[in-house]
Amino acid sequence: MLINHPLLGPRDAAEFTYLGDASLIDRPDWQAPDAAQAFVEYGYMRDNPAGWHRELWFHEAGDRSWLVVTRNTLTHEISNVELARDVARARGRSK
Amino acid sequence: MRYSGFRVIKEALTGHKGWTPAWREPEPKPAYDVIIIGGGGHGLATAYYLAKEFGQKNIAVIEKGWIGGGNVGRNTTIIRSNYLLDGNEPFYEFSLKLWEGLEQDFNYNAMVSQRGILNLFHSDAQRDAFIRRGNAMILNGADADLLSTEQIKARYPFLNTDDARFPIKGGLAQHRGGTVRHDAVAWGYARGADQHGVDIIQNCEVTGFKIENGKCLGVETTKGFIGAGKVACAVAGSSSRLMSHAGMRLPMESHVLQAFVSEGLKPVLPGVITFGAGHFYVSQSDKGGLVFGGDIDGYNSYAQRGNLPVVEDVCEGGMAIFPAFGRARLLRMWGGIMDMSMDGSPIIDKTHIDGLLFNGGWCYGGFKATPASGFCYAHLIARDAPHPHASAYRFDRFEKGLMIDEKGMGNQPNLH
Ligand SMILES: Cc1cc2nc3c(=O)[nH]c(=O)nc-3n(C[C@H](O)[C@H](O)[C@H](O)COP(=O)(O)OP(=O)(O)OC[C@H]3O[C@@H](n4cnc5c(N)ncnc54)[C@H](O)[C@@H]3O)c2cc1C
């Protein structure tokens, strides 16, 4: 697989490590009343879809940026690559 | 029909006209007492033990493709019970004991071969960890044997024990481990289940559940609705897809694992060997091919095929420990979809929906578990209580902090 890095262009997927579903960006509020249950969902439960999946990849052997890759788990086709920083900021994370 | 040596002779003398199909091909009935979804090793074993050991009747196995087309026919056939943790080791040892009597039990030649498995270690720290594991195995009634470098040399003279980079400091052997002909496991259980009246329905995909007032009443399939007293899922890599029809999210990701077979060689490798300084394991099939594998690819996948970096990584591991195998040509490689759970251990449990049960999360190690998984799942279905050897495999272990994490990797499925 080639991952089209927004800054560096197409890079071999072997340069990256894989973390998982991009919903991991949305860490629950630890002070919320339902925090315990929310963290079980966050830490352990996954949609695990067959088809399009937004997921976090880390460019470990490259510029060490985190990316959100939209990839089809049935075909391994990649349709979109974003900097995770931009995605997180757009969601109001990381002021 | 019972298979036996006499039968083979009789058929040989009478033109092989007496053989009958190993199982029927029935159309689904309107309803069953128990429907098992998934005609892999686990589903078929569950049906077999339900009918044979737990006296249940009126059972169907529903398989979307053909039985044995999933992971049970794609794995590298290794069986062993060399686990560390209390939640796992009694279960896998129970499984190994069932393997030992399986062929007589279901009257089918599954080519169970206890040729032994040897886990090599290459550092002092690894030795300590393996001693601990061996002790845990012995405490649970399994066999474990710590081999010195000299003993390994005597058994495997071709191994380079004093390689500068990965010296072999010893190994943990389980002599009762080995390999089993994987397809024959599916066929043997299917035939045994069929003989006990189980309907095996192939080319029939479950597309949904009928759930009313918190109770599962049956399944929607490509052959129409089929009612059921209990519905037991055992679809391995497809677990999340299937359970999403019941509105459930699971503590797992589906990942692809690749396997490789070389051209047929004369006998070169007795037993199974794993390389401890990389991830590589190999055995030689009875046909002569070297059967080997290593890491999962590491990203969510339902594609049943992997990518080249892992092929390279696995072959590098092989070359590091068995340089001679580099002369063998690779004949075939393929991938299977693993139900990688959050702690690397499986689940055999009821769900919050009455009459809907779940078996999955087997990761890359569920083949060896097939007999015990079937037995314990059948126990849960028939008796409504977990089998003592599978009592740790619960859904709620994640929220209770009772993870069974053999490798100590945390909630990262691709690291287990
Ligand atoms: C390359 C590879 C190597 C492996 N090596 C080993 C090893 O050496 N030792 C070991 O112990 N384990 C190994 N494993 C793991 C082992 O193969 C699996 O954990 C185990 O086979 C899973 O259980 P199963 O046999 O029931 O799965 P499967 O055979 O995959 O059965 C699941 C079945 O469910 C069916 N299904 C799915 N969805 C539906 C639906 N909606 N409706 C109806 N049917 C459905 C599928 O078609 C499939 O036939 C390996 C796996 C792979 C891929």
Side-chain angles (χ1 to χ4, degrees), chain A residues 1 14 18-20 40-41 43-50 53 57 71 73-76, chain B residues 240-241 249-254 298-303 305 307 342 398-399 403 411-412 414:
Chain A
M1 289 189 298
Y18 177 81
L19 184 67
V40 171
E41 291 285 321
Y44 299 105
M45 299 301 175
R46 299 289 180 266
D47 289 340
N48 191 20
H53 188 224
W57 291 74
R71 193 179 56 93
T73 59
L74 287 164
T75 59
H76 298 162
Chain B
S240 294
R241 282 175 100 172
R249 292 170 86 216
L250 300 179
M252 56 191 73
E253 290 176 354
S254 295
Y299 42 82
N300 288 36
S301 175
Y302 285 91
R305 62 185 155 75
N307 275 299
M342 282 289 165
F398 299 98
E399 60 183 89
M403 274 65 83
N411 57 347
Q412 185 64 41
N414 63 355

mmCIF file of all heavy atoms in Angstrom, chain A residues 1 14 18-20 40-41 43-50 53 57 71 73-76, chain B residues 240-241 249-254 298-303 305 307 342 398-399 403 411-412 414:
data_model
loop_
_atom_site.group_PDB
_atom_site.id
_atom_site.type_symbol
_atom_site.label_atom_id
_atom_site.label_comp_id
_atom_site.label_asym_id
_atom_site.label_seq_id
_atom_site.Cartn_x
_atom_site.Cartn_y
_atom_site.Cartn_z
ATOM 1 N N MET A 1 0.839 -1.191 0.000
ATOM 2 C CA MET A 1 0.000 0.000 0.000
ATOM 3 C C MET A 1 0.879 1.248 0.000
ATOM 4 O O MET A 1 1.903 1.275 0.654
ATOM 5 C CB MET A 1 -0.884 0.011 1.261
ATOM 6 C CG MET A 1 -1.973 -1.037 1.247
ATOM 7 S SD MET A 1 -3.153 -0.835 2.609
ATOM 8 C CE MET A 1 -2.114 -1.038 4.027
ATOM 9 N N ALA A 14 4.898 0.618 4.669
ATOM 10 C CA ALA A 14 5.814 -0.036 5.614
ATOM 11 C C ALA A 14 6.574 0.982 6.473
ATOM 12 O O ALA A 14 7.151 0.630 7.497
ATOM 13 C CB ALA A 14 6.805 -0.921 4.862
ATOM 14 N N TYR A 18 0.483 1.370 12.616
ATOM 15 C CA TYR A 18 -0.962 1.510 12.588
ATOM 16 C C TYR A 18 -1.518 1.521 14.000
ATOM 17 O O TYR A 18 -1.153 0.681 14.815
ATOM 18 C CB TYR A 18 -1.533 0.325 11.814
ATOM 19 C CG TYR A 18 -3.036 0.276 11.747
ATOM 20 C CD1 TYR A 18 -3.717 1.051 10.818
ATOM 21 C CD2 TYR A 18 -3.760 -0.542 12.586
ATOM 22 C CE1 TYR A 18 -5.101 1.002 10.738
ATOM 23 C CE2 TYR A 18 -5.143 -0.596 12.521
ATOM 24 C CZ TYR A 18 -5.795 0.185 11.593
ATOM 25 O OH TYR A 18 -7.169 0.135 11.521
ATOM 26 N N LEU A 19 -2.365 2.491 14.289
ATOM 27 C CA LEU A 19 -2.964 2.522 15.628
ATOM 28 C C LEU A 19 -4.385 1.973 15.649
ATOM 29 O O LEU A 19 -4.712 1.137 16.465
ATOM 30 C CB LEU A 19 -2.952 3.938 16.200
ATOM 31 C CG LEU A 19 -3.478 4.002 17.641
ATOM 32 C CD1 LEU A 19 -2.534 3.292 18.602
ATOM 33 C CD2 LEU A 19 -3.674 5.439 18.094
ATOM 34 N N GLY A 20 -5.225 2.425 14.725
ATOM 35 C CA GLY A 20 -6.613 1.935 14.732
ATOM 36 C C GLY A 20 -7.594 3.023 14.336
ATOM 37 O O GLY A 20 -7.217 4.055 13.764
ATOM 38 N N VAL A 40 -14.665 2.591 28.585
ATOM 39 C CA VAL A 40 -14.723 1.190 28.133
ATOM 40 C C VAL A 40 -15.000 1.170 26.628
ATOM 41 O O VAL A 40 -14.329 0.473 25.863
ATOM 42 C CB VAL A 40 -15.814 0.399 28.896
ATOM 43 C CG1 VAL A 40 -16.008 -0.981 28.274
ATOM 44 C CG2 VAL A 40 -15.436 0.252 30.358
ATOM 45 N N GLU A 41 -15.973 1.968 26.209
ATOM 46 C CA GLU A 41 -16.298 2.043 24.782
ATOM 47 C C GLU A 41 -15.093 2.534 23.988
ATOM 48 O O GLU A 41 -14.737 1.981 22.958
ATOM 49 C CB GLU A 41 -17.476 3.009 24.551
ATOM 50 C CG GLU A 41 -18.809 2.522 25.073
ATOM 51 C CD GLU A 41 -19.405 1.438 24.173
ATOM 52 O OE1 GLU A 41 -19.283 1.558 22.949
ATOM 53 O OE2 GLU A 41 -19.981 0.476 24.734
ATOM 54 N N GLY A 43 -11.867 2.617 24.830
ATOM 55 C CA GLY A 43 -10.666 1.788 24.894
ATOM 56 C C GLY A 43 -10.817 0.450 24.197
ATOM 57 O O GLY A 43 -9.843 -0.064 23.645
ATOM 58 N N TYR A 44 -12.030 -0.105 24.233
ATOM 59 C CA TYR A 44 -12.145 -1.508 23.820
ATOM 60 C C TYR A 44 -13.103 -1.802 22.675
ATOM 61 O O TYR A 44 -12.944 -2.813 22.007
ATOM 62 C CB TYR A 44 -12.538 -2.360 25.032
ATOM 63 C CG TYR A 44 -11.507 -2.303 26.130
ATOM 64 C CD1 TYR A 44 -11.726 -1.563 27.293
ATOM 65 C CD2 TYR A 44 -10.296 -2.956 25.980
ATOM 66 C CE1 TYR A 44 -10.761 -1.492 28.283
ATOM 67 C CE2 TYR A 44 -9.322 -2.894 26.962
ATOM 68 C CZ TYR A 44 -9.563 -2.158 28.114
ATOM 69 O OH TYR A 44 -8.605 -2.078 29.076
ATOM 70 N N MET A 45 -14.118 -0.980 22.477
ATOM 71 C CA MET A 45 -15.130 -1.328 21.479
ATOM 72 C C MET A 45 -14.831 -0.643 20.145
ATOM 73 O O MET A 45 -14.448 0.520 20.116
ATOM 74 C CB MET A 45 -16.522 -0.921 21.961
ATOM 75 C CG MET A 45 -16.922 -1.627 23.239
ATOM 76 S SD MET A 45 -16.894 -3.414 22.997
ATOM 77 C CE MET A 45 -17.243 -3.939 24.652
ATOM 78 N N ARG A 46 -15.004 -1.376 19.069
ATOM 79 C CA ARG A 46 -14.712 -0.839 17.742
ATOM 80 C C ARG A 46 -15.844 -1.168 16.766
ATOM 81 O O ARG A 46 -16.444 -2.235 16.852
ATOM 82 C CB ARG A 46 -13.410 -1.455 17.199
ATOM 83 C CG ARG A 46 -12.164 -1.170 18.038
ATOM 84 C CD ARG A 46 -11.734 0.293 17.939
ATOM 85 N NE ARG A 46 -10.552 0.556 18.740
ATOM 86 C CZ ARG A 46 -10.560 1.014 19.996
ATOM 87 N NH1 ARG A 46 -11.706 1.276 20.601
ATOM 88 N NH2 ARG A 46 -9.436 1.226 20.652
ATOM 89 N N ASP A 47 -16.068 -0.261 15.784
ATOM 90 C CA ASP A 47 -17.038 -0.554 14.727
ATOM 91 C C ASP A 47 -16.512 -1.655 13.816
ATOM 92 O O ASP A 47 -17.252 -2.486 13.338
ATOM 93 C CB ASP A 47 -17.327 0.701 13.897
ATOM 94 C CG ASP A 47 -18.147 1.714 14.681
ATOM 95 O OD1 ASP A 47 -18.791 1.299 15.665
ATOM 96 O OD2 ASP A 47 -18.136 2.908 14.314
ATOM 97 N N ASN A 48 -15.218 -1.619 13.495
ATOM 98 C CA ASN A 48 -14.573 -2.653 12.701
ATOM 99 C C ASN A 48 -15.328 -2.925 11.401
ATOM 100 O O ASN A 48 -15.694 -4.075 11.102
ATOM 101 C CB ASN A 48 -14.465 -3.932 13.565
ATOM 102 C CG ASN A 48 -13.581 -4.981 12.934
ATOM 103 O OD1 ASN A 48 -12.755 -4.690 12.080
ATOM 104 N ND2 ASN A 48 -13.767 -6.218 13.352
ATOM 105 N N PRO A 49 -15.585 -1.888 10.592
ATOM 106 C CA PRO A 49 -16.430 -2.069 9.411
ATOM 107 C C PRO A 49 -15.714 -2.798 8.266
ATOM 108 O O PRO A 49 -14.492 -2.733 8.158
ATOM 109 C CB PRO A 49 -16.754 -0.635 8.990
ATOM 110 C CG PRO A 49 -15.552 0.142 9.431
ATOM 111 C CD PRO A 49 -15.100 -0.511 10.714
ATOM 112 N N ALA A 50 -16.511 -3.487 7.447
ATOM 113 C CA ALA A 50 -16.008 -4.020 6.180
ATOM 114 C C ALA A 50 -16.357 -2.973 5.129
ATOM 115 O O ALA A 50 -17.512 -2.825 4.765
ATOM 116 C CB ALA A 50 -16.663 -5.353 5.868
ATOM 117 N N HIS A 53 -13.041 2.957 6.120
ATOM 118 C CA HIS A 53 -12.626 3.035 7.515
ATOM 119 C C HIS A 53 -11.657 4.199 7.660
ATOM 120 O O HIS A 53 -10.685 4.288 6.906
ATOM 121 C CB HIS A 53 -11.907 1.718 7.868
ATOM 122 C CG HIS A 53 -11.585 1.554 9.324
ATOM 123 N ND1 HIS A 53 -10.367 1.078 9.752
ATOM 124 C CD2 HIS A 53 -12.310 1.781 10.444
ATOM 125 C CE1 HIS A 53 -10.366 1.020 11.079
ATOM 126 N NE2 HIS A 53 -11.528 1.443 11.526
ATOM 127 N N TRP A 57 -2.656 6.423 11.334
ATOM 128 C CA TRP A 57 -1.347 5.862 10.995
ATOM 129 C C TRP A 57 -0.278 6.858 11.456
ATOM 130 O O TRP A 57 -0.444 8.063 11.337
ATOM 131 C CB TRP A 57 -1.211 5.645 9.485
ATOM 132 C CG TRP A 57 -2.063 4.568 8.900
ATOM 133 C CD1 TRP A 57 -3.404 4.613 8.675
ATOM 134 C CD2 TRP A 57 -1.620 3.281 8.437
ATOM 135 N NE1 TRP A 57 -3.826 3.433 8.099
ATOM 136 C CE2 TRP A 57 -2.751 2.599 7.939
ATOM 137 C CE3 TRP A 57 -0.372 2.642 8.375
ATOM 138 C CZ2 TRP A 57 -2.683 1.314 7.400
ATOM 139 C CZ3 TRP A 57 -0.303 1.365 7.834
ATOM 140 C CH2 TRP A 57 -1.457 0.707 7.365
ATOM 141 N N ARG A 71 -9.515 4.423 4.267
ATOM 142 C CA ARG A 71 -9.073 3.247 3.513
ATOM 143 C C ARG A 71 -10.198 2.220 3.495
ATOM 144 O O ARG A 71 -10.962 2.092 4.441
ATOM 145 C CB ARG A 71 -7.835 2.651 4.201
ATOM 146 C CG ARG A 71 -7.064 1.615 3.411
ATOM 147 C CD ARG A 71 -5.863 1.147 4.226
ATOM 148 N NE ARG A 71 -6.309 0.640 5.514
ATOM 149 C CZ ARG A 71 -6.591 -0.648 5.760
ATOM 150 N NH1 ARG A 71 -6.382 -1.547 4.842
ATOM 151 N NH2 ARG A 71 -7.047 -1.010 6.936
ATOM 152 N N THR A 73 -11.390 -1.388 3.808
ATOM 153 C CA THR A 73 -10.838 -2.619 4.384
ATOM 154 C C THR A 73 -11.128 -3.840 3.512
ATOM 155 O O THR A 73 -10.580 -4.907 3.755
ATOM 156 C CB THR A 73 -11.396 -2.875 5.799
ATOM 157 O OG1 THR A 73 -12.816 -2.971 5.731
ATOM 158 C CG2 THR A 73 -11.007 -1.770 6.759
ATOM 159 N N LEU A 74 -11.993 -3.690 2.506
ATOM 160 C CA LEU A 74 -12.258 -4.818 1.610
ATOM 161 C C LEU A 74 -11.274 -4.871 0.453
ATOM 162 O O LEU A 74 -11.030 -5.931 -0.115
ATOM 163 C CB LEU A 74 -13.686 -4.727 1.056
ATOM 164 C CG LEU A 74 -14.799 -5.059 2.049
ATOM 165 C CD1 LEU A 74 -16.140 -4.561 1.540
ATOM 166 C CD2 LEU A 74 -14.850 -6.565 2.291
ATOM 167 N N THR A 75 -10.723 -3.700 0.079
ATOM 168 C CA THR A 75 -9.870 -3.656 -1.113
ATOM 169 C C THR A 75 -8.485 -3.084 -0.832
ATOM 170 O O THR A 75 -7.607 -3.144 -1.673
ATOM 171 C CB THR A 75 -10.507 -2.751 -2.181
ATOM 172 O OG1 THR A 75 -10.654 -1.433 -1.610
ATOM 173 C CG2 THR A 75 -11.878 -3.258 -2.600
ATOM 174 N N HIS A 76 -8.307 -2.478 0.337
ATOM 175 C CA HIS A 76 -7.081 -1.769 0.722
ATOM 176 C C HIS A 76 -6.879 -0.471 -0.074
ATOM 177 O O HIS A 76 -5.821 0.154 -0.003
ATOM 178 C CB HIS A 76 -5.825 -2.661 0.593
ATOM 179 C CG HIS A 76 -5.865 -3.873 1.487
ATOM 180 N ND1 HIS A 76 -5.064 -4.969 1.284
ATOM 181 C CD2 HIS A 76 -6.620 -4.151 2.563
ATOM 182 C CE1 HIS A 76 -5.326 -5.886 2.218
ATOM 183 N NE2 HIS A 76 -6.268 -5.409 2.998
ATOM 184 N N SER B 240 -17.547 -8.981 13.793
ATOM 185 C CA SER B 240 -18.100 -7.627 13.941
ATOM 186 C C SER B 240 -19.201 -7.366 12.929
ATOM 187 O O SER B 240 -20.210 -6.729 13.239
ATOM 188 C CB SER B 240 -16.996 -6.575 13.771
ATOM 189 O OG SER B 240 -16.074 -6.657 14.818
ATOM 190 N N ARG B 241 -18.995 -7.868 11.709
ATOM 191 C CA ARG B 241 -20.008 -7.672 10.656
ATOM 192 C C ARG B 241 -21.310 -8.330 11.057
ATOM 193 O O ARG B 241 -22.381 -7.756 10.915
ATOM 194 C CB ARG B 241 -19.547 -8.332 9.353
ATOM 195 C CG ARG B 241 -18.542 -7.556 8.597
ATOM 196 C CD ARG B 241 -18.079 -8.363 7.405
ATOM 197 N NE ARG B 241 -18.742 -7.951 6.180
ATOM 198 C CZ ARG B 241 -18.397 -8.401 4.985
ATOM 199 N NH1 ARG B 241 -17.433 -9.282 4.854
ATOM 200 N NH2 ARG B 241 -19.008 -7.964 3.915
ATOM 201 N N ARG B 249 -21.433 -3.761 19.115
ATOM 202 C CA ARG B 249 -20.037 -3.474 18.763
ATOM 203 C C ARG B 249 -19.195 -4.419 19.604
ATOM 204 O O ARG B 249 -19.502 -4.672 20.770
ATOM 205 C CB ARG B 249 -19.664 -2.037 19.106
ATOM 206 C CG ARG B 249 -20.362 -1.008 18.256
ATOM 207 C CD ARG B 249 -20.121 0.369 18.838
ATOM 208 N NE ARG B 249 -18.882 0.961 18.356
ATOM 209 C CZ ARG B 249 -18.081 1.726 19.095
ATOM 210 N NH1 ARG B 249 -18.353 1.930 20.364
ATOM 211 N NH2 ARG B 249 -16.997 2.273 18.575
ATOM 212 N N LEU B 250 -18.112 -4.906 19.034
ATOM 213 C CA LEU B 250 -17.303 -5.917 19.720
ATOM 214 C C LEU B 250 -15.929 -5.368 20.068
ATOM 215 O O LEU B 250 -15.425 -4.457 19.410
ATOM 216 C CB LEU B 250 -17.129 -7.148 18.826
ATOM 217 C CG LEU B 250 -18.405 -7.866 18.393
ATOM 218 C CD1 LEU B 250 -18.046 -9.049 17.506
ATOM 219 C CD2 LEU B 250 -19.205 -8.342 19.587
ATOM 220 N N PRO B 251 -15.309 -5.954 21.088
ATOM 221 C CA PRO B 251 -13.936 -5.552 21.430
ATOM 222 C C PRO B 251 -12.946 -6.238 20.494
ATOM 223 O O PRO B 251 -12.111 -7.021 20.937
ATOM 224 C CB PRO B 251 -13.789 -6.028 22.875
ATOM 225 C CG PRO B 251 -14.718 -7.192 22.984
ATOM 226 C CD PRO B 251 -15.849 -6.925 22.037
ATOM 227 N N MET B 252 -13.054 -5.969 19.211
ATOM 228 C CA MET B 252 -12.114 -6.586 18.283
ATOM 229 C C MET B 252 -11.997 -5.855 16.962
ATOM 230 O O MET B 252 -12.852 -5.043 16.609
ATOM 231 C CB MET B 252 -12.438 -8.063 18.058
ATOM 232 C CG MET B 252 -13.781 -8.407 17.580
ATOM 233 S SD MET B 252 -14.093 -10.199 17.665
ATOM 234 C CE MET B 252 -14.296 -10.505 19.399
ATOM 235 N N GLU B 253 -10.895 -6.136 16.283
ATOM 236 C CA GLU B 253 -10.642 -5.646 14.926
ATOM 237 C C GLU B 253 -10.349 -6.861 14.050
ATOM 238 O O GLU B 253 -9.770 -7.832 14.529
ATOM 239 C CB GLU B 253 -9.403 -4.733 14.907
ATOM 240 C CG GLU B 253 -9.587 -3.395 15.595
ATOM 241 C CD GLU B 253 -8.274 -2.582 15.632
ATOM 242 O OE1 GLU B 253 -7.225 -3.108 15.220
ATOM 243 O OE2 GLU B 253 -8.321 -1.438 16.099
ATOM 244 N N SER B 254 -10.722 -6.773 12.770
ATOM 245 C CA SER B 254 -10.407 -7.860 11.840
ATOM 246 C C SER B 254 -9.106 -7.535 11.112
ATOM 247 O O SER B 254 -8.963 -6.447 10.552
ATOM 248 C CB SER B 254 -11.543 -8.042 10.837
ATOM 249 O OG SER B 254 -12.700 -8.477 11.528
ATOM 250 N N GLY B 298 -1.257 -6.116 10.139
ATOM 251 C CA GLY B 298 -1.258 -5.066 11.150
ATOM 252 C C GLY B 298 -2.259 -3.941 10.976
ATOM 253 O O GLY B 298 -2.251 -3.001 11.757
ATOM 254 N N TYR B 299 -3.104 -4.000 9.950
ATOM 255 C CA TYR B 299 -4.138 -2.972 9.773
ATOM 256 C C TYR B 299 -5.466 -3.698 9.547
ATOM 257 O O TYR B 299 -5.490 -4.844 9.084
ATOM 258 C CB TYR B 299 -3.818 -2.088 8.551
ATOM 259 C CG TYR B 299 -3.316 -2.892 7.375
ATOM 260 C CD1 TYR B 299 -4.214 -3.538 6.546
ATOM 261 C CD2 TYR B 299 -1.949 -3.056 7.138
ATOM 262 C CE1 TYR B 299 -3.768 -4.318 5.503
ATOM 263 C CE2 TYR B 299 -1.497 -3.841 6.101
ATOM 264 C CZ TYR B 299 -2.419 -4.469 5.287
ATOM 265 O OH TYR B 299 -1.974 -5.278 4.266
ATOM 266 N N ASN B 300 -6.564 -3.038 9.874
ATOM 267 C CA ASN B 300 -7.878 -3.654 9.677
ATOM 268 C C ASN B 300 -8.030 -4.111 8.231
ATOM 269 O O ASN B 300 -7.732 -3.349 7.301
ATOM 270 C CB ASN B 300 -8.998 -2.644 9.964
ATOM 271 C CG ASN B 300 -9.146 -2.347 11.435
ATOM 272 O OD1 ASN B 300 -8.150 -2.295 12.160
ATOM 273 N ND2 ASN B 300 -10.377 -2.166 11.868
ATOM 274 N N SER B 301 -8.501 -5.322 8.050
ATOM 275 C CA SER B 301 -8.684 -5.814 6.686
ATOM 276 C C SER B 301 -9.715 -6.931 6.651
ATOM 277 O O SER B 301 -9.771 -7.772 7.542
ATOM 278 C CB SER B 301 -7.360 -6.332 6.123
ATOM 279 O OG SER B 301 -7.570 -6.902 4.844
ATOM 280 N N TYR B 302 -10.505 -6.910 5.588
ATOM 281 C CA TYR B 302 -11.409 -8.031 5.292
ATOM 282 C C TYR B 302 -11.060 -8.596 3.908
ATOM 283 O O TYR B 302 -11.888 -9.238 3.279
ATOM 284 C CB TYR B 302 -12.860 -7.551 5.277
ATOM 285 C CG TYR B 302 -13.451 -7.274 6.640
ATOM 286 C CD1 TYR B 302 -13.390 -6.013 7.213
ATOM 287 C CD2 TYR B 302 -14.083 -8.288 7.353
ATOM 288 C CE1 TYR B 302 -13.942 -5.761 8.461
ATOM 289 C CE2 TYR B 302 -14.642 -8.050 8.595
ATOM 290 C CZ TYR B 302 -14.570 -6.793 9.139
ATOM 291 O OH TYR B 302 -15.124 -6.543 10.375
ATOM 292 N N ALA B 303 -9.857 -8.317 3.424
ATOM 293 C CA ALA B 303 -9.558 -8.602 2.024
ATOM 294 C C ALA B 303 -9.091 -10.032 1.768
ATOM 295 O O ALA B 303 -9.000 -10.445 0.623
ATOM 296 C CB ALA B 303 -8.514 -7.620 1.509
ATOM 297 N N ARG B 305 -6.296 -11.111 1.675
ATOM 298 C CA ARG B 305 -4.972 -11.139 1.053
ATOM 299 C C ARG B 305 -4.158 -10.028 1.685
ATOM 300 O O ARG B 305 -4.698 -8.984 2.069
ATOM 301 C CB ARG B 305 -5.048 -10.976 -0.462
ATOM 302 C CG ARG B 305 -5.618 -9.679 -0.896
ATOM 303 C CD ARG B 305 -5.789 -9.627 -2.404
ATOM 304 N NE ARG B 305 -6.825 -8.688 -2.770
ATOM 305 C CZ ARG B 305 -6.692 -7.371 -2.734
ATOM 306 N NH1 ARG B 305 -5.543 -6.838 -2.379
ATOM 307 N NH2 ARG B 305 -7.687 -6.581 -3.038
ATOM 308 N N ASN B 307 -0.162 -7.828 2.079
ATOM 309 C CA ASN B 307 0.737 -7.036 1.257
ATOM 310 C C ASN B 307 2.175 -7.532 1.366
ATOM 311 O O ASN B 307 2.511 -8.346 2.226
ATOM 312 C CB ASN B 307 0.632 -5.565 1.654
ATOM 313 C CG ASN B 307 -0.520 -4.877 0.929
ATOM 314 O OD1 ASN B 307 -0.531 -4.811 -0.291
ATOM 315 N ND2 ASN B 307 -1.504 -4.397 1.681
ATOM 316 N N MET B 342 -9.169 -7.423 21.825
ATOM 317 C CA MET B 342 -8.433 -6.339 22.478
ATOM 318 C C MET B 342 -7.375 -6.835 23.468
ATOM 319 O O MET B 342 -6.479 -6.082 23.837
ATOM 320 C CB MET B 342 -9.413 -5.418 23.195
ATOM 321 C CG MET B 342 -10.115 -4.487 22.249
ATOM 322 S SD MET B 342 -8.966 -3.236 21.634
ATOM 323 C CE MET B 342 -9.902 -2.590 20.258
ATOM 324 N N PHE B 398 -13.512 -6.755 29.913
ATOM 325 C CA PHE B 398 -12.840 -5.500 29.576
ATOM 326 C C PHE B 398 -13.255 -4.388 30.527
ATOM 327 O O PHE B 398 -12.437 -3.594 30.961
ATOM 328 C CB PHE B 398 -13.116 -5.138 28.117
ATOM 329 C CG PHE B 398 -12.607 -6.192 27.185
ATOM 330 C CD1 PHE B 398 -13.447 -7.159 26.665
ATOM 331 C CD2 PHE B 398 -11.259 -6.258 26.884
ATOM 332 C CE1 PHE B 398 -12.959 -8.158 25.844
ATOM 333 C CE2 PHE B 398 -10.756 -7.257 26.066
ATOM 334 C CZ PHE B 398 -11.606 -8.208 25.551
ATOM 335 N N GLU B 399 -14.550 -4.343 30.860
ATOM 336 C CA GLU B 399 -14.950 -3.283 31.789
ATOM 337 C C GLU B 399 -14.585 -3.634 33.220
ATOM 338 O O GLU B 399 -14.448 -2.745 34.060
ATOM 339 C CB GLU B 399 -16.425 -2.933 31.638
ATOM 340 C CG GLU B 399 -17.387 -4.035 31.892
ATOM 341 C CD GLU B 399 -18.812 -3.557 31.622
ATOM 342 O OE1 GLU B 399 -19.252 -3.670 30.482
ATOM 343 O OE2 GLU B 399 -19.457 -3.084 32.572
ATOM 344 N N MET B 403 -8.667 -8.562 31.869
ATOM 345 C CA MET B 403 -8.125 -8.939 30.577
ATOM 346 C C MET B 403 -7.226 -10.159 30.696
ATOM 347 O O MET B 403 -6.579 -10.377 31.720
ATOM 348 C CB MET B 403 -7.309 -7.788 29.987
ATOM 349 C CG MET B 403 -8.122 -6.789 29.210
ATOM 350 S SD MET B 403 -9.298 -5.907 30.218
ATOM 351 C CE MET B 403 -8.253 -4.646 30.887
ATOM 352 N N ASN B 411 -4.583 -2.825 24.961
ATOM 353 C CA ASN B 411 -5.738 -2.905 24.052
ATOM 354 C C ASN B 411 -5.375 -2.524 22.617
ATOM 355 O O ASN B 411 -5.966 -1.627 22.032
ATOM 356 C CB ASN B 411 -6.874 -2.009 24.574
ATOM 357 C CG ASN B 411 -6.420 -0.569 24.747
ATOM 358 O OD1 ASN B 411 -5.231 -0.280 24.704
ATOM 359 N ND2 ASN B 411 -7.382 0.314 24.924
ATOM 360 N N GLN B 412 -4.399 -3.216 22.067
ATOM 361 C CA GLN B 412 -3.914 -2.897 20.725
ATOM 362 C C GLN B 412 -3.906 -4.207 19.927
ATOM 363 O O GLN B 412 -2.909 -4.950 19.956
ATOM 364 C CB GLN B 412 -2.497 -2.302 20.869
ATOM 365 C CG GLN B 412 -1.871 -1.800 19.604
ATOM 366 C CD GLN B 412 -2.609 -0.629 18.997
ATOM 367 O OE1 GLN B 412 -3.042 0.264 19.702
ATOM 368 N NE2 GLN B 412 -2.772 -0.674 17.697
ATOM 369 N N ASN B 414 -3.386 -5.267 16.984
ATOM 370 C CA ASN B 414 -2.335 -5.693 16.046
ATOM 371 C C ASN B 414 -1.015 -6.025 16.738
ATOM 372 O O ASN B 414 -0.060 -6.430 16.085
ATOM 373 C CB ASN B 414 -2.128 -4.659 14.926
ATOM 374 C CG ASN B 414 -1.650 -3.314 15.435
ATOM 375 O OD1 ASN B 414 -1.548 -3.097 16.643
ATOM 376 N ND2 ASN B 414 -1.367 -2.404 14.522
#
